[in-house]
Each structure stands twice: as C-alpha cells, then as structure tokens.
Amino acid sequence: MTPRKILIDTDPGQDDAVAILLALAAPEELEVLAITVVAGNVPLEKTSRNARVICELAGRRDVPVHEGCAAPLERPLVTAEHVHGKSGLDGHDLPEPTMPVADLHAVEAIIHHIRREPRGSVTLCALGPLTNVASALLKAPEIAERLGGIVLMGGAYFEVGNVTPAAEFNIYVDPEAAKIVLKSGIEITMMPLDVTHKALITRDWLDGISTLDTPAIRAVCGWLDFYERFDMEKYGGKGGPLHDPCVIAWLLRPELFSGRHVNVEIETQSELTRGMTVADWWRVTDRAANATFIGDLDADGFFDLLTERLAAL
Ligand code: RIB
Ligand code: CA
C-alpha cells in the first residue's frame, strides 16, 4: 500500500508531540512530507524548536520543519504556557536540536507541496491554530481544490470550550483563520473536544507503556505526566485528554471514530463567544454541511494503537 502523503501543521505542545511521533512511527501508512509550525501553545520560536526536537527524538532529521506565522491573522497571540509549561514541552528535557529550520516559510511550503503532489493526494493535519493554513489558502486559493482533505483538532459543541466557556483553544486563538478554512470547500474532518475529552490518559496506560523504556517512551511519559496535571485539576482528576493524537489516529484507524457530516460555523464577531464552533448537529438549519464533526471514539482501541506504534519508535 502506498503511504498517504501528509503535511502536519502544529504548535508543539506535548499532545502535538505524541501526534507527530505517532505519524513518524507509521512510515508504511503515512509519508510526512513536511512539518509546518505555528504560534499557539507557545510562541513560534519555541514551537519550531520543539518540532525539531521531536523529529530528532524519532530519528527523523530528514523531515523538513518550516516556520510559519508568529501571530494570528488579525488578533494578538494567546498562548497556553499554563498547560504546556514555558518551553511547551515541559516534563522531559531533551538536547537542543541541531537540525536546521527549513528554508521555505511554512505558508510557502504548504502551497509548494500541494501544488507539486498529484491532485487529491495530500492530507493536511492541523494540530494548532489555523493561521498558516488560512494564510496558504488566501495566498493560493487554487490549492483548496487540489488538497485531498484537512483533518484538524479544534472546536467543541456538546463539550463546550476549554479556553473560554464557548471556545476551544485552537479556534479561539485565530477564529478568522478557522472561518476561512471552514468556508474553503475542502473536505474537513474535525476532532473537537467532544471526542478528544474521551481520549483521556489513564495512570494504568502510562504505567504500562513506561515499562517499554525507550528514549521516545521516556519522553512521552515525562511530557504527559506534566501535561495532564492541568486538565486533571480543572476537570476533576479523570486524566489528561490526548487531543492532537486523535487526528493521526483517525488517519491510521478511522473505524475507531464516529461523527456526523454537518454545518459548522465560526463565531468571529462576539467577544463573549469568539471562536465558538456552532455545529448544526441536529440539522435545524439549511446551512450546507461543511465538516465531519467527530463526537466519539473507541478509547481502548485508540490507546492500544498508541502503545503499539510508540513502542516501534
Ligand atoms: O484545545 C486543545 C488544542 O490546543 C490542542 O491542539 C493543544 O495542543 C492546543 O494546541
Ligand atoms: Ca496543538
């Protein structure tokens, strides 16, 4: 089977790191053409450093890491050091990366790969604010019909918000970018908090994988030990949600997930509900469906996949 060609746009972040490792651990199924980084969880220079640290941890210095937008399209940057730590990868220290930043700006790199690869053959995996993705669509609108699809972590409906009562972080940070992406006509699969809050780390799982004792597993365990404390304090101790790995897991085993193809609009005008993803789950409007909004997953199957693949790194 020919591997699916993917681009990963990301703001690492511990959960981004697990998602990237999961992708790099599946070379027979996924060909990572490039990683593009965006400001989000932490500022751009740190998401760039972190992405290169993750590639070197996976032994994949061959994967180009391109730096992208340092701020949202129209708004000041909002970061999440309170969740991810000052570095964005608190919990496990690794050496500074020696691989260079790739020459092309991330927006140019996204456009380049989509133009170069056969129509429909590239899937874009968006794990952070959508600033780079929207900027590429604004600069080269024709890529929308060439892109095979976008799978993104973002949004919330029944689960409501995690950064405000109404909005999930990735969408909240750059709602204008999210609106451009949702209106692009591209086939979109969304992993909102509705599903990622069911992908909760358990102590048993972490203890189980820690017995594998490889450099990648040691990093993942350290990162997730740190990362999950915020959500456990906030939501009452059930475990930290593995948001971004849901995107890659869907590519590898879509049967683990279920959702509905519905209309999703983005609130950009109201300060109270900025970044809200208004999902017409019950189809009460005649607004055209523009995204597959994922609401559920087989959590056991998801964590079994993670264990199996991360052990192979
Ligand atoms: O709301 C969760 C999302 O915001 C995840 O992608 C996390 O990494 C942060 O970017
Ligand atoms: Ca992220």
Side-chain angles (χ1 to χ4, degrees):
M1 179 180 81
T2 307
R4 181 200 292 250
K5 298 174 189 284
I6 67 170
L7 293 168
I8 299 177
D9 191 73
T10 177
D11 64 335
Q14 291 90 347
D15 62 318
D16 302 68
V18 176
I20 294 166
L21 290 175
L22 182 60
L24 296 177
E28 293 78 29
E29 294 132 295
L30 301 175
E31 179 187 355
V32 181
L33 298 173
I35 292 175
T36 53
V37 293
V38 66
N41 285 319
V42 287
L44 182 71
E45 65 274 9
K46 291 182 177 175
T47 59
S48 170
R49 178 257 181 204
N50 293 344
R52 288 176 286 136
V53 163
I54 296 157
C55 286
E56 291 189 346
L57 174 66
R60 294 298 306 275
R61 296 168 54 88
D62 60 297
V63 178
V65 173
H66 301 264
E67 290 183 355
C69 300
L73 295 180
E74 297 180 18
R75 298 169 185 264
L77 177 63
V78 172
T79 54
E81 286 90 346
H82 59 292
V83 179
H84 301 273
K86 196 160 174 46
S87 74
L89 282 184
D90 283 27
H92 185 80
D93 293 333
L94 287 168
E96 288 307 300
T98 57
M99 66 185 278
V101 175
D103 291 340
L104 270 184
H105 185 280
V107 172
E108 295 299 338
I110 290 169
I111 295 167
H112 165 76
H113 284 290
I114 295 170
R115 280 177 172 163
R116 186 182 68 172
E117 300 297 338
R119 180 187 297 269
S121 68
V122 177
T123 302
L124 197 158
C125 304
L127 311 181
L130 292 163
T131 317
N132 287 343
V133 180
S135 299
L137 287 166
L138 289 171
K139 191 174 176 75
E142 83 282 357
I143 64 172
E145 59 184 21
R146 290 190 61 81
L147 194 52
I150 293 176
V151 190
L152 67 91
M153 190 278 139
Y157 185 58
F158 293 105
E159 194 62 13
V160 296
N162 62 356
V163 66
T164 72
E168 176 279 327
F169 179 81
N170 287 340
I171 310 300
Y172 176 80
V173 169
D174 200 340
E176 285 74 22
K179 185 168 188 171
I180 288 166
V181 172
L182 269 295
K183 289 198 174 296
S184 66
I186 297 168
E187 184 178 332
I188 293 171
T189 303
M190 288 180 79
M191 295 287 163
L193 299 180
D194 302 54
V195 63
T196 68
H197 277 185
K198 296 172 183 172
L200 297 180
I201 301 162
T202 65
R203 185 47 49 190
D204 285 352
W205 179 74
L206 265 183
D207 291 346
I209 65 164
S210 67
T211 60
L212 300 171
D213 197 27
T214 63
I217 291 289
R218 281 197 293 274
V220 166
C221 289
W223 287 332
L224 295 187
D225 257 336
F226 176 89
Y227 161 81
E228 71 166 350
R229 92 223 175 284
F230 173 78
D231 283 86
M232 289 180 75
E233 283 161 20
K234 176 175 177 179
Y235 292 106
K238 286 183 288 183
L242 278 185
H243 303 291
D244 294 336
C246 288
V247 169
I248 305 302
W250 183 85
L251 292 176
L252 295 172
R253 293 199 52 200
E255 71 277 10
L256 294 176
F257 299 85
S258 62
R260 279 187 194 178
H261 194 227
V262 296
N263 175 270
V264 181
E265 303 287 334
I266 309 295
E267 174 57 66
T268 58
Q269 301 306 307
S270 157
E271 277 316 299
L272 179 63
T273 55
R274 155 198 167 168
M276 183 175 184
T277 48
V278 182
D280 187 5
W281 185 262
W282 303 112
R283 299 190 178 102
V284 296
T285 75
D286 59 0
R287 295 195 289 253
N290 58 347
T292 299
F293 200 79
I294 301 294
D296 206 359
L297 89 162
D298 167 357
D300 291 341
F302 171 76
F303 281 98
D304 288 348
L305 174 69
L306 274 177
T307 302
E308 172 201 341
R309 298 309 176 93
L310 294 178
L313 276 174

